Amino acid sequence: MNARETLNLISKQWCDLNDLRKLTGLGKNNAIKLKNEIRIDLESILLIIQ
């Protein structure tokens, strides 16, 4: 992946599983685990802010 493709992916507001796989180089199962970890972290942050 070149710099332009990376910039296009990270400039999006939302990232889907395929985007996450491209950015990290992970396989499907590990990308799913990472996505779930990110979701948990974001939910924790939102609970702290409230």
Side-chain angles (χ1 to χ4, degrees), residues 7 9 11 13-16 24 28-33 35-37 39-40 47 49:
L7 181 60
L9 286 177
S11 65
Q13 184 174 4
W14 300 105
C15 179
D16 65 17
T24 61
K28 184 178 180 180
N29 291 335
N30 285 327
I32 290 170
K33 288 177 187 177
K35 182 182 84 168
N36 289 335
E37 289 176 15
R39 178 179 290 135
I40 290 168
L47 287 175
I49 292 173

Side-chain angles (χ1 to χ4, degrees), residues 1-10 12 15-32 34:
M1 178 181 333
N2 63 34
R4 185 176 300 271
E5 291 170 329
T6 302
L7 181 60
N8 285 336
L9 286 177
I10 64 173
K12 293 196 236 177
C15 179
D16 65 17
L17 188 59
N18 287 327
D19 295 339
L20 190 57
R21 290 179 68 188
K22 289 177 188 175
L23 288 169
T24 61
L26 293 174
K28 184 178 180 180
N29 291 335
N30 285 327
I32 290 170
L34 178 59

